[in-house]
Amino acid sequence: RPYAVRMDLRVAAYAVIQDDLGRVLLSHWTGGPAWSMPGGGMDPGEHPLETAIREVREETGYDVEIGELLGVDSMVIPAARRISEGANAPMQALRIVYRATITGGTLTNEVDGSSDRAEWFDLDNIPSQRVSLVEYALRVAGLWR
């Protein structure tokens, strides 16, 4: 066991979404600040598919249909690097990544949430100020070089 200390766990679900031009939809996370995949933390009792649908809608304004499971990523954030108030233990972030397709809605920026905008990016112009999840998600989707 790599960690014998108390550790918080955050399970989250994210979506890789491309448009007809091959661009990828990213969400700008205000906690970084950095770009991330649209998605976020599961509510208690919520299914990860429901989480991805809800979070994409909240962060981008789009309704989506969830496709294949692309992968599950895990990372440990040391207590000293956590941004949550009162966080005094390391946290394991378990990140479930799906492919998704837009079925409705319009691009809308989130208000009073953990992100402040969403934008489409060409694969050769992905912002350098991004969380590690972006590279992982694009790699498991077969889109990252």
Side-chain angles (χ1 to χ4, degrees):
R1 303 179 89 190
Y3 290 90
V5 298
R6 184 179 85 72
M7 181 177 295
D8 295 331
L9 175 66
R10 179 180 186 265
V11 180
Y14 298 87
V16 175
I17 304 167
Q18 283 188 283
D19 67 5
D20 293 339
L21 302 174
R23 298 178 303 173
V24 175
L25 185 61
L26 298 181
S27 176
H28 188 258
W29 177 52
T30 59
W35 291 94
S36 183
M37 304 310 296
M42 285 177 42
D43 288 340
E46 188 176 42
H47 191 283
L49 292 171
E50 295 168 347
T51 300
I53 291 168
R54 176 182 54 77
E55 285 284 343
V56 168
R57 185 179 306 118
E58 289 175 3
E59 293 183 0
T60 71
Y62 289 120
D63 296 317
V64 294
E65 180 179 306
I66 300 299
E68 68 181 307
L69 172 66
L70 294 172
V72 178
D73 188 40
S74 177
M75 68 179 290
V76 174
I77 302 169
R81 286 192 39 230
R82 291 190 54 194
I83 61 170
S84 300
E85 178 112 5
N88 56 6
M91 180 183 75
Q92 181 176 9
L94 193 64
R95 306 180 298 186
I96 304 165
V97 180
Y98 298 97
R99 190 177 309 276
T101 306
I102 293 174
T103 59
T106 57
L107 186 62
T108 307
N109 293 331
E110 183 175 19
V111 177
D112 296 327
S114 60
S115 69
D116 59 1
R117 67 187 186 275
E119 293 180 26
W120 292 100
F121 290 93
D122 291 318
L123 288 170
D124 60 357
N125 197 28
I126 300 294
S128 59
Q129 192 172 8
R130 61 183 179 256
V131 298
S132 63
L133 175 65
V134 172
E135 292 175 34
Y136 172 79
L138 295 179
R139 194 169 54 252
V140 296
L143 302 173
W144 194 253
R145 50 196 174 283

